[in-house]
Amino acid sequence: MAPRCPGLSRFLRSGETPWATLPAVNARHILIELHGCPADHLNDADAIQHAMSTAAVAAGATVIATNFHRFSPLGVSGVVLIAESHLTIHTWPERGYAAVDVFTCGASVDPWQAYTSLKAALGAASGEAVEMTRGERPVVSRRVSDAAGS
Amino acid sequence: MAPRCPGLSRFLRSGETPWATLPAVNARHILIELHGCPADHLNDADAIQHAMSTAAVAAGATVIATNFHRFSPLGVSGVVLIAESHLTIHTWPERGYAAVDVFTCGASVDPWQAYTSLKAALGAASGEAVEMTRGERPVVSRRVSDAAGS
């Protein structure tokens, strides 16, 4: 099994430093709303699984498991568990809407790369995203709102 | 396969109403920070899987898949996919900290019941939670901060 948050695990294995001086969790969580996606993109579980795994790799993450489901009559839900936490997606093809989460820990990944990758892969006309810092009182730490191609 | 968001799927099957009058997505996402949890609770993947599935049922959700992993040397990540979206957890036993997400759609579930169930199951000394409305520009719609037993 891959280590969780590689930087932290290496640190823990050294056994030389007391807990009190552990590095920060450094967990970042981006809540993403994608609108104006073609309905057929949002109802294709295989294509979405591929897009989500590609997005995870784009962020620099290590994929450890995936699980995707297509609902009847419409919609896909899925998760990509990564060594650095997770990506999830839920789609409403009839609305052209997808709700995506990218949750990462550690300094070696950039969750915003996953946002850019997935927005393009799903052909979203627009994206809204807000970054929340985890590991402490949740706060908004970054917000973007942009149209296709921006 | 279970329908996604049962209320919406029933509506879609009726075939009688144009998309423009579809009911709202009604997606609710609670970001939960649990602190002061016993480390052994947070490193036991089987117990956490049970607690998360129990929390999903407490919310009134239908579980469709679970996937949990224990990291070396410490930490558990896992997901419960539900017909109404998902629950995820990532734990840092060395900190007594767990990051939990409960994302639901549809009016038949109450994600706050999952929060209450899981906070008790993991023995958290304190919990912070913030509810975000999904399906539109993300906004904070409720925030709580409470100590054990409250």
Side-chain angles (χ1 to χ4, degrees), chain A residues 4 23 33 77 90 95 134-135, chain B residues 4 23 33 77 95 134-135:
Chain A
R4 139 68 64 70
E33 310 281 289
S77 277
H90 307 287
R95 294 178 177 275
R134 304 295 295 262
Chain B
R4 137 72 62 70
E33 310 281 289
S77 279
R95 293 178 179 276
R134 304 296 295 262

Side-chain angles (χ1 to χ4, degrees), chain A residues 54-61 82 87 102 104 108-115 117:
Chain A
T54 299
V57 172
I82 54 178
L87 293 81
V102 181
T104 66
S108 64
V109 289
D110 178 0
W112 286 94
Q113 295 297 325
Y115 167 66
S117 172

Side-chain angles (χ1 to χ4, degrees), chain B residues 54-75:
Chain B
T54 299
V57 171
T62 300
V63 175
I64 57 176
T66 61
N67 204 329
F68 283 76
H69 292 268
R70 194 165 92 73
F71 292 90
S72 175
L74 293 168

Side-chain angles (χ1 to χ4, degrees), chain A residues 37-44 93-96:
Chain A
C37 306
D40 57 341
H41 283 41
L42 297 187
N43 214 33
D44 183 338
E94 72 279 13
R95 294 178 177 275

Side-chain angles (χ1 to χ4, degrees), chain B residues 132-146:
Chain B
M132 310 288 284
T133 299
R134 304 296 295 262
E136 52 192 84
R137 188 178 179 89
V139 294
V140 175
S141 53
R142 180 180 173 189
R143 182 189 293 277
V144 303
S145 175
D146 55 14

